[in-house]
Amino acid sequence: MSLITTVEDGVAVITLDRPQVRNAFDDALIAALTRAYDAATIDPEVYAVLLRANGPTFCAGADLNWMRRMAGYSRQENLADAMALATLMRTIDLCPKPTLVRVHGSAFAGATGLIAASDIVVAVPEAEFAVTEVRIGLIPSVISPYLVRAMGARQARRYFLTAERFSAETALALGLVHEVVSAEELDAAITRHLKALKAASPGAMAATKALIAAVDRPFDQTVLQDTARRIADQRVSADGREGVSAFLEKRKPTWGAA
């Protein structure tokens, strides 16, 4: 088994479980991850998704045996293979539920895409990151939209081209990671974020993620009108009405009453 999936107190916990190959992913793991995120998306009992890993490394990127197979693929086979990874990244990015990543060790190549496509990332100081594709004559193609969005094009120029390793503190400064805490505090930090998310309206969080995607572009009249429409829709939604009523009545909303 290369992936362990459980639901714990409303959190879909997805655990990379290939420590013998430093949790490197292949086509089978990519498919399993996509299914896991799809399942979490449609599960009404799940309010957040947490990606984590077993073993000392978070994820070393592509599995060597998978790369050996790819070397013999036709262009059409390579295109289908790349589309599977692109679909995984898009699935994470578009998940309407909050997605978190617990980075306890190194994350290289495609693993940085998993991180950049997620909402909240917490790492330990010892974690290292690198976008290494150019060293083997490849490009970080399907992960690039998420990394450039997270790091900015200026920083991407450096780290994509040099393939150099950078620290968790640098990842924090770049915007790839949101928080760096000691290994002893890592689980507590994840729990803190999950507690905050559980207190929020599921419908409003999904709408907020869609809002961020919609406004992440040059601000113009279309964005102005779109943002006005979105808040109007949210105000009259069931969650919007309940949330405002609970605030005015000084009580917990229905989604936070448990």
Side-chain angles (χ1 to χ4, degrees):
M1 182 182 295
S2 61
L3 198 68
I4 300 171
T5 58
T6 59
V7 176
E8 303 170 14
D9 193 25
V11 179
V13 181
I14 302 173
T15 305
L16 303 176
D17 190 36
R18 305 185 78 210
Q20 70 278 10
V21 292
R22 299 187 300 159
N23 292 315
F25 52 77
D26 57 9
D27 48 356
L29 182 56
I30 288 169
L33 278 166
T34 304
R35 290 193 299 269
Y37 277 93
D38 280 338
T41 294
I42 64 175
D43 188 340
E45 301 301 316
V46 168
Y47 74 88
V49 187
L50 172 63
L51 178 64
R52 46 158 295 154
N54 287 335
T57 300
F58 175 73
C59 179
D63 177 85
L64 292 178
N65 288 324
W66 179 42
M67 293 179 67
R68 289 188 184 100
R69 293 203 310 275
M70 280 190 289
Y73 284 179
S74 66
R75 186 185 183 282
Q76 200 60 34
E77 289 171 324
N78 266 299
L79 182 60
D81 199 69
M83 277 302 300
L85 182 58
T87 298
L88 169 60
M89 298 298 165
R90 192 67 170 155
T91 299
I92 297 172
D93 185 51
L94 294 181
C95 180
K97 298 173 181 180
T99 54
L100 300 88
V101 187
R102 177 189 184 276
V103 184
H104 71 286
S106 301
F108 299 142
T112 61
L114 298 175
I115 289 167
S118 301
D119 296 322
I120 300 172
V121 183
V122 184
V124 297
E126 298 78 16
E128 285 189 312
F129 304 82
V131 187
T132 57
E133 282 80 354
V134 295
R135 288 191 178 172
I136 56 172
L138 299 178
I139 59 175
S141 189
V142 300
I143 63 174
S144 63
Y146 312 102
L147 285 166
V148 172
R149 184 180 64 192
M151 301 166 60
R154 185 63 176 163
Q155 297 294 349
R157 286 183 181 223
R158 170 181 172 174
Y159 291 101
F160 285 16
L161 296 175
T162 65
E164 65 192 280
R165 295 188 182 193
F166 54 96
S167 68
E169 289 296 340
T170 298
L172 179 66
L174 292 174
L176 184 60
V177 165
H178 295 95
E179 189 175 1
V180 177
V181 300
S182 68
E184 293 76 20
E185 298 173 316
L186 184 56
D187 288 328
I190 293 293
T191 298
R192 170 166 41 84
H193 287 299
L194 289 171
K195 183 178 180 181
L197 295 169
K198 194 171 186 179
S201 150
M205 288 194 293
T208 296
K209 291 190 66 170
L211 169 68
I212 293 167
V215 302
D216 188 22
R217 59 184 179 181
F219 187 77
D220 57 16
Q221 187 66 23
T222 300
V223 174
L224 187 150
Q225 294 174 347
D226 184 51
T227 54
R229 177 189 61 79
R230 287 171 185 272
I231 186 57
D233 289 346
Q234 193 61 32
R235 286 172 182 170
V236 299
S237 71
D239 276 5
R241 293 186 186 278
E242 167 61 13
V244 172
S245 295
F247 175 76
L248 294 174
E249 296 166 11
K250 294 181 169 45
R251 60 175 175 81
K252 288 185 176 182
T254 53
W255 60 79

Short mmCIF file of all heavy atoms in Angstrom, two decimals, residues 208-231:
data_model
loop_
_atom_site.label_atom_id
_atom_site.label_comp_id
_atom_site.label_asym_id
_atom_site.label_seq_id
_atom_site.Cartn_x
_atom_site.Cartn_y
_atom_site.Cartn_z
N THR A 208 -15.30 31.11 -0.54
CA THR A 208 -14.10 31.96 -0.42
C THR A 208 -12.97 31.44 -1.31
O THR A 208 -12.25 32.23 -1.94
CB THR A 208 -13.64 32.01 1.05
OG1 THR A 208 -14.67 32.65 1.83
CG2 THR A 208 -12.35 32.80 1.20
N LYS A 209 -12.80 30.12 -1.37
CA LYS A 209 -11.76 29.57 -2.24
C LYS A 209 -12.07 29.90 -3.70
O LYS A 209 -11.17 30.25 -4.48
CB LYS A 209 -11.64 28.06 -2.04
CG LYS A 209 -11.06 27.67 -0.69
CD LYS A 209 -10.73 26.19 -0.60
CE LYS A 209 -9.60 25.80 -1.53
NZ LYS A 209 -9.12 24.43 -1.29
N ALA A 210 -13.34 29.81 -4.08
CA ALA A 210 -13.73 30.17 -5.44
C ALA A 210 -13.52 31.66 -5.68
O ALA A 210 -13.10 32.08 -6.77
CB ALA A 210 -15.19 29.80 -5.69
N LEU A 211 -13.78 32.48 -4.66
CA LEU A 211 -13.57 33.92 -4.75
C LEU A 211 -12.10 34.25 -5.00
O LEU A 211 -11.77 35.07 -5.87
CB LEU A 211 -14.04 34.58 -3.45
CG LEU A 211 -13.67 36.04 -3.23
CD1 LEU A 211 -14.40 36.93 -4.23
CD2 LEU A 211 -13.98 36.47 -1.81
N ILE A 212 -11.21 33.62 -4.24
CA ILE A 212 -9.78 33.89 -4.39
C ILE A 212 -9.33 33.55 -5.81
O ILE A 212 -8.58 34.31 -6.44
CB ILE A 212 -8.97 33.10 -3.35
CG1 ILE A 212 -9.28 33.63 -1.94
CG2 ILE A 212 -7.47 33.20 -3.64
CD1 ILE A 212 -8.78 32.73 -0.82
N ALA A 213 -9.80 32.42 -6.32
CA ALA A 213 -9.44 32.03 -7.69
C ALA A 213 -9.96 33.04 -8.70
O ALA A 213 -9.29 33.35 -9.69
CB ALA A 213 -10.00 30.64 -8.00
N ALA A 214 -11.12 33.60 -8.42
CA ALA A 214 -11.73 34.54 -9.37
C ALA A 214 -11.03 35.90 -9.38
O ALA A 214 -10.93 36.55 -10.43
CB ALA A 214 -13.21 34.73 -9.03
N VAL A 215 -10.54 36.35 -8.22
CA VAL A 215 -9.94 37.68 -8.16
C VAL A 215 -8.42 37.66 -8.33
O VAL A 215 -7.79 38.72 -8.36
CB VAL A 215 -10.29 38.40 -6.83
CG1 VAL A 215 -11.79 38.52 -6.67
CG2 VAL A 215 -9.67 37.68 -5.63
N ASP A 216 -7.84 36.48 -8.45
CA ASP A 216 -6.40 36.39 -8.63
C ASP A 216 -6.04 36.71 -10.08
O ASP A 216 -5.55 35.88 -10.84
CB ASP A 216 -5.91 34.98 -8.24
CG ASP A 216 -4.39 34.89 -8.23
OD1 ASP A 216 -3.73 35.94 -8.11
OD2 ASP A 216 -3.87 33.76 -8.33
N ARG A 217 -6.32 37.95 -10.46
CA ARG A 217 -6.09 38.44 -11.81
C ARG A 217 -6.13 39.97 -11.75
O ARG A 217 -6.51 40.52 -10.72
CB ARG A 217 -7.17 37.91 -12.77
CG ARG A 217 -8.58 38.30 -12.37
CD ARG A 217 -9.63 37.69 -13.27
NE ARG A 217 -10.98 38.05 -12.85
CZ ARG A 217 -12.08 37.63 -13.47
NH1 ARG A 217 -11.97 36.83 -14.51
NH2 ARG A 217 -13.27 38.00 -13.04
N PRO A 218 -5.75 40.65 -12.80
CA PRO A 218 -5.80 42.12 -12.76
C PRO A 218 -7.19 42.62 -12.39
O PRO A 218 -8.20 42.11 -12.89
CB PRO A 218 -5.42 42.51 -14.20
CG PRO A 218 -4.59 41.38 -14.69
CD PRO A 218 -5.18 40.14 -14.06
N PHE A 219 -7.22 43.61 -11.51
CA PHE A 219 -8.50 44.13 -11.01
C PHE A 219 -9.14 45.05 -12.05
O PHE A 219 -8.53 46.02 -12.48
CB PHE A 219 -8.27 44.89 -9.70
CG PHE A 219 -9.55 45.31 -9.02
CD1 PHE A 219 -10.30 44.40 -8.31
CD2 PHE A 219 -10.00 46.61 -9.12
CE1 PHE A 219 -11.48 44.77 -7.69
CE2 PHE A 219 -11.18 47.00 -8.50
CZ PHE A 219 -11.92 46.07 -7.79
N ASP A 220 -10.35 44.71 -12.48
CA ASP A 220 -11.07 45.54 -13.44
C ASP A 220 -12.55 45.53 -13.09
O ASP A 220 -12.97 45.01 -12.06
CB ASP A 220 -10.84 45.04 -14.87
CG ASP A 220 -11.23 43.57 -15.05
OD1 ASP A 220 -11.96 43.02 -14.19
OD2 ASP A 220 -10.82 42.96 -16.06
N GLN A 221 -13.35 46.14 -13.95
CA GLN A 221 -14.78 46.25 -13.68
C GLN A 221 -15.44 44.89 -13.57
O GLN A 221 -16.36 44.69 -12.78
CB GLN A 221 -15.46 47.07 -14.79
CG GLN A 221 -16.94 47.39 -14.53
CD GLN A 221 -17.15 48.32 -13.36
OE1 GLN A 221 -16.23 49.05 -12.98
NE2 GLN A 221 -18.33 48.30 -12.76
N THR A 222 -14.96 43.92 -14.35
CA THR A 222 -15.52 42.58 -14.28
C THR A 222 -15.31 41.97 -12.90
O THR A 222 -16.22 41.34 -12.34
CB THR A 222 -14.87 41.69 -15.36
OG1 THR A 222 -15.11 42.26 -16.64
CG2 THR A 222 -15.44 40.28 -15.31
N VAL A 223 -14.10 42.15 -12.34
CA VAL A 223 -13.82 41.64 -11.01
C VAL A 223 -14.68 42.36 -9.98
O VAL A 223 -15.23 41.73 -9.06
CB VAL A 223 -12.32 41.80 -10.67
CG1 VAL A 223 -12.05 41.40 -9.23
CG2 VAL A 223 -11.47 40.96 -11.61
N LEU A 224 -14.83 43.67 -10.13
CA LEU A 224 -15.66 44.43 -9.19
C LEU A 224 -17.08 43.88 -9.16
O LEU A 224 -17.66 43.64 -8.10
CB LEU A 224 -15.66 45.91 -9.61
CG LEU A 224 -16.33 46.91 -8.67
CD1 LEU A 224 -15.64 48.27 -8.78
CD2 LEU A 224 -17.81 47.06 -8.99
N GLN A 225 -17.67 43.69 -10.34
CA GLN A 225 -19.03 43.18 -10.41
C GLN A 225 -19.13 41.75 -9.91
O GLN A 225 -20.10 41.38 -9.23
CB GLN A 225 -19.54 43.28 -11.85
CG GLN A 225 -19.70 44.71 -12.34
CD GLN A 225 -20.05 44.79 -13.82
OE1 GLN A 225 -19.96 43.80 -14.55
NE2 GLN A 225 -20.45 45.96 -14.26
N ASP A 226 -18.11 40.96 -10.23
CA ASP A 226 -18.12 39.56 -9.81
C ASP A 226 -18.04 39.44 -8.30
O ASP A 226 -18.75 38.63 -7.69
CB ASP A 226 -16.96 38.82 -10.46
CG ASP A 226 -16.96 37.33 -10.13
OD1 ASP A 226 -18.01 36.69 -10.31
OD2 ASP A 226 -15.92 36.83 -9.69
N THR A 227 -17.20 40.25 -7.66
CA THR A 227 -17.08 40.18 -6.20
C THR A 227 -18.36 40.65 -5.52
O THR A 227 -18.76 40.10 -4.50
CB THR A 227 -15.89 41.00 -5.70
OG1 THR A 227 -15.99 42.34 -6.20
CG2 THR A 227 -14.57 40.40 -6.15
N ALA A 228 -19.01 41.65 -6.10
CA ALA A 228 -20.28 42.11 -5.53
C ALA A 228 -21.34 41.02 -5.63
O ALA A 228 -22.10 40.78 -4.69
CB ALA A 228 -20.74 43.37 -6.26
N ARG A 229 -21.36 40.32 -6.78
CA ARG A 229 -22.33 39.23 -6.94
C ARG A 229 -22.07 38.10 -5.96
O ARG A 229 -23.00 37.54 -5.37
CB ARG A 229 -22.25 38.69 -8.38
CG ARG A 229 -23.18 37.51 -8.64
CD ARG A 229 -22.91 36.87 -9.99
NE ARG A 229 -21.55 36.36 -10.11
CZ ARG A 229 -21.15 35.19 -9.58
NH1 ARG A 229 -21.99 34.47 -8.84
NH2 ARG A 229 -19.91 34.77 -9.75
N ARG A 230 -20.81 37.77 -5.75
CA ARG A 230 -20.48 36.66 -4.87
C ARG A 230 -20.88 36.91 -3.42
O ARG A 230 -21.41 36.03 -2.75
CB ARG A 230 -18.98 36.33 -4.96
CG ARG A 230 -18.58 35.67 -6.26
CD ARG A 230 -17.06 35.55 -6.40
NE ARG A 230 -16.69 35.03 -7.70
CZ ARG A 230 -16.57 33.74 -8.00
NH1 ARG A 230 -16.78 32.83 -7.07
NH2 ARG A 230 -16.23 33.36 -9.21
N ILE A 231 -20.64 38.14 -2.91
CA ILE A 231 -21.02 38.40 -1.53
C ILE A 231 -22.53 38.48 -1.40
O ILE A 231 -23.11 38.05 -0.39
CB ILE A 231 -20.33 39.67 -0.98
CG1 ILE A 231 -20.64 39.83 0.52
CG2 ILE A 231 -20.74 40.90 -1.73
CD1 ILE A 231 -20.25 38.65 1.39
#
